[in-house]
PDB file of all heavy atoms in Angstrom:
ATOM      1  N   VAL C  89     -60.044   1.790  95.108  1.00  0.00           N
ATOM      2  CA  VAL C  89     -59.473   2.458  93.936  1.00  0.00           C
ATOM      3  C   VAL C  89     -58.180   1.759  93.539  1.00  0.00           C
ATOM      4  O   VAL C  89     -57.364   1.455  94.408  1.00  0.00           O
ATOM      5  CB  VAL C  89     -59.159   3.939  94.247  1.00  0.00           C
ATOM      6  CG1 VAL C  89     -58.635   4.646  93.009  1.00  0.00           C
ATOM      7  CG2 VAL C  89     -60.384   4.637  94.795  1.00  0.00           C
ATOM      8  N   ALA C  90     -58.030   1.490  92.272  1.00  0.00           N
ATOM      9  CA  ALA C  90     -56.777   0.900  91.793  1.00  0.00           C
ATOM     10  C   ALA C  90     -55.807   2.018  91.447  1.00  0.00           C
ATOM     11  O   ALA C  90     -56.169   2.952  90.741  1.00  0.00           O
ATOM     12  CB  ALA C  90     -57.034   0.030  90.574  1.00  0.00           C
ATOM     13  N   VAL C  91     -54.602   1.912  91.968  1.00  0.00           N
ATOM     14  CA  VAL C  91     -53.582   2.906  91.636  1.00  0.00           C
ATOM     15  C   VAL C  91     -52.482   2.212  90.836  1.00  0.00           C
ATOM     16  O   VAL C  91     -51.814   1.302  91.343  1.00  0.00           O
ATOM     17  CB  VAL C  91     -52.968   3.532  92.900  1.00  0.00           C
ATOM     18  CG1 VAL C  91     -51.922   4.556  92.513  1.00  0.00           C
ATOM     19  CG2 VAL C  91     -54.054   4.173  93.746  1.00  0.00           C
ATOM     20  N   LEU C  92     -52.328   2.617  89.604  1.00  0.00           N
ATOM     21  CA  LEU C  92     -51.292   2.032  88.754  1.00  0.00           C
ATOM     22  C   LEU C  92     -50.000   2.794  88.927  1.00  0.00           C
ATOM     23  O   LEU C  92     -49.978   4.018  88.795  1.00  0.00           O
ATOM     24  CB  LEU C  92     -51.728   2.041  87.287  1.00  0.00           C
ATOM     25  CG  LEU C  92     -52.517   0.812  86.842  1.00  0.00           C
ATOM     26  CD1 LEU C  92     -53.801   0.681  87.635  1.00  0.00           C
ATOM     27  CD2 LEU C  92     -52.796   0.857  85.352  1.00  0.00           C
ATOM     28  N   ILE C  93     -48.959   2.073  89.211  1.00  0.00           N
ATOM     29  CA  ILE C  93     -47.679   2.684  89.530  1.00  0.00           C
ATOM     30  C   ILE C  93     -46.589   1.840  88.884  1.00  0.00           C
ATOM     31  O   ILE C  93     -46.657   0.616  88.922  1.00  0.00           O
ATOM     32  CB  ILE C  93     -47.544   2.786  91.069  1.00  0.00           C
ATOM     33  CG1 ILE C  93     -46.228   3.381  91.507  1.00  0.00           C
ATOM     34  CG2 ILE C  93     -47.748   1.462  91.747  1.00  0.00           C
ATOM     35  CD1 ILE C  93     -46.190   3.640  93.024  1.00  0.00           C
ATOM     36  N   PRO C  94     -45.622   2.468  88.219  1.00  0.00           N
ATOM     37  CA  PRO C  94     -44.637   1.659  87.510  1.00  0.00           C
ATOM     38  C   PRO C  94     -43.749   0.837  88.446  1.00  0.00           C
ATOM     39  O   PRO C  94     -43.563  -0.351  88.233  1.00  0.00           O
ATOM     40  CB  PRO C  94     -43.830   2.676  86.710  1.00  0.00           C
ATOM     41  CG  PRO C  94     -44.119   3.995  87.305  1.00  0.00           C
ATOM     42  CD  PRO C  94     -45.460   3.907  87.966  1.00  0.00           C
ATOM     43  N   ARG C  95     -43.240   1.493  89.478  1.00  0.00           N
ATOM     44  CA  ARG C  95     -42.374   0.760  90.403  1.00  0.00           C
ATOM     45  C   ARG C  95     -42.579   1.245  91.826  1.00  0.00           C
ATOM     46  O   ARG C  95     -42.506   2.434  92.110  1.00  0.00           O
ATOM     47  CB  ARG C  95     -40.895   0.965  90.053  1.00  0.00           C
ATOM     48  CG  ARG C  95     -40.446   0.345  88.764  1.00  0.00           C
ATOM     49  CD  ARG C  95     -39.061  -0.244  88.933  1.00  0.00           C
ATOM     50  NE  ARG C  95     -39.157  -1.503  89.630  1.00  0.00           N
ATOM     51  CZ  ARG C  95     -39.160  -2.682  89.003  1.00  0.00           C
ATOM     52  NH1 ARG C  95     -39.078  -2.758  87.711  1.00  0.00           N
ATOM     53  NH2 ARG C  95     -39.241  -3.788  89.697  1.00  0.00           N
ATOM     54  N   LEU C  96     -42.811   0.294  92.712  1.00  0.00           N
ATOM     55  CA  LEU C  96     -43.013   0.640  94.117  1.00  0.00           C
ATOM     56  C   LEU C  96     -41.748   1.187  94.749  1.00  0.00           C
ATOM     57  O   LEU C  96     -41.810   1.905  95.747  1.00  0.00           O
ATOM     58  CB  LEU C  96     -43.429  -0.609  94.895  1.00  0.00           C
ATOM     59  CG  LEU C  96     -44.855  -1.067  94.647  1.00  0.00           C
ATOM     60  CD1 LEU C  96     -45.058  -2.461  95.194  1.00  0.00           C
ATOM     61  CD2 LEU C  96     -45.799  -0.077  95.319  1.00  0.00           C
ATOM     62  N   THR C  97     -40.615   0.819  94.201  1.00  0.00           N
ATOM     63  CA  THR C  97     -39.366   1.219  94.819  1.00  0.00           C
ATOM     64  C   THR C  97     -38.857   2.564  94.304  1.00  0.00           C
ATOM     65  O   THR C  97     -37.807   3.022  94.705  1.00  0.00           O
ATOM     66  CB  THR C  97     -38.291   0.142  94.576  1.00  0.00           C
ATOM     67  OG1 THR C  97     -38.306  -0.207  93.191  1.00  0.00           O
ATOM     68  CG2 THR C  97     -38.574  -1.085  95.403  1.00  0.00           C
ATOM     69  N   ASN C  98     -39.612   3.178  93.424  1.00  0.00           N
ATOM     70  CA  ASN C  98     -39.227   4.512  92.956  1.00  0.00           C
ATOM     71  C   ASN C  98     -39.820   5.562  93.890  1.00  0.00           C
ATOM     72  O   ASN C  98     -41.032   5.716  93.982  1.00  0.00           O
ATOM     73  CB  ASN C  98     -39.736   4.708  91.534  1.00  0.00           C
ATOM     74  CG  ASN C  98     -39.360   6.066  90.968  1.00  0.00           C
ATOM     75  OD1 ASN C  98     -39.366   7.061  91.687  1.00  0.00           O
ATOM     76  ND2 ASN C  98     -39.024   6.096  89.703  1.00  0.00           N
ATOM     77  N   PRO C  99     -38.965   6.280  94.591  1.00  0.00           N
ATOM     78  CA  PRO C  99     -39.435   7.201  95.631  1.00  0.00           C
ATOM     79  C   PRO C  99     -40.382   8.281  95.125  1.00  0.00           C
ATOM     80  O   PRO C  99     -41.267   8.712  95.859  1.00  0.00           O
ATOM     81  CB  PRO C  99     -38.156   7.849  96.154  1.00  0.00           C
ATOM     82  CG  PRO C  99     -37.013   7.144  95.537  1.00  0.00           C
ATOM     83  CD  PRO C  99     -37.507   6.300  94.420  1.00  0.00           C
ATOM     84  N   PHE C 100     -40.205   8.692  93.900  1.00  0.00           N
ATOM     85  CA  PHE C 100     -41.104   9.726  93.403  1.00  0.00           C
ATOM     86  C   PHE C 100     -42.537   9.205  93.328  1.00  0.00           C
ATOM     87  O   PHE C 100     -43.486   9.890  93.719  1.00  0.00           O
ATOM     88  CB  PHE C 100     -40.659  10.230  92.025  1.00  0.00           C
ATOM     89  CG  PHE C 100     -41.581  11.274  91.466  1.00  0.00           C
ATOM     90  CD1 PHE C 100     -41.749  12.486  92.112  1.00  0.00           C
ATOM     91  CD2 PHE C 100     -42.309  11.031  90.308  1.00  0.00           C
ATOM     92  CE1 PHE C 100     -42.610  13.447  91.616  1.00  0.00           C
ATOM     93  CE2 PHE C 100     -43.170  11.988  89.802  1.00  0.00           C
ATOM     94  CZ  PHE C 100     -43.324  13.197  90.457  1.00  0.00           C
ATOM     95  N   PHE C 101     -42.678   7.971  92.900  1.00  0.00           N
ATOM     96  CA  PHE C 101     -44.024   7.416  92.777  1.00  0.00           C
ATOM     97  C   PHE C 101     -44.634   7.073  94.129  1.00  0.00           C
ATOM     98  O   PHE C 101     -45.846   7.189  94.315  1.00  0.00           O
ATOM     99  CB  PHE C 101     -44.021   6.211  91.846  1.00  0.00           C
ATOM    100  CG  PHE C 101     -43.847   6.615  90.414  1.00  0.00           C
ATOM    101  CD1 PHE C 101     -42.630   6.515  89.782  1.00  0.00           C
ATOM    102  CD2 PHE C 101     -44.915   7.161  89.711  1.00  0.00           C
ATOM    103  CE1 PHE C 101     -42.468   6.922  88.463  1.00  0.00           C
ATOM    104  CE2 PHE C 101     -44.771   7.574  88.396  1.00  0.00           C
ATOM    105  CZ  PHE C 101     -43.543   7.458  87.768  1.00  0.00           C
ATOM    106  N   THR C 102     -43.801   6.677  95.073  1.00  0.00           N
ATOM    107  CA  THR C 102     -44.370   6.424  96.395  1.00  0.00           C
ATOM    108  C   THR C 102     -44.786   7.736  97.047  1.00  0.00           C
ATOM    109  O   THR C 102     -45.682   7.758  97.878  1.00  0.00           O
ATOM    110  CB  THR C 102     -43.405   5.658  97.318  1.00  0.00           C
ATOM    111  OG1 THR C 102     -42.161   6.339  97.371  1.00  0.00           O
ATOM    112  CG2 THR C 102     -43.200   4.254  96.803  1.00  0.00           C
TER     113      THR C 102
END
Side-chain angles (χ1 to χ4, degrees):
Chain C
V89 183
V91 180
L92 272 61
I93 179 173
R95 292 219 78 98
L96 286 167
T97 48
N98 181 323
F100 179 63
F101 287 101
T102 53

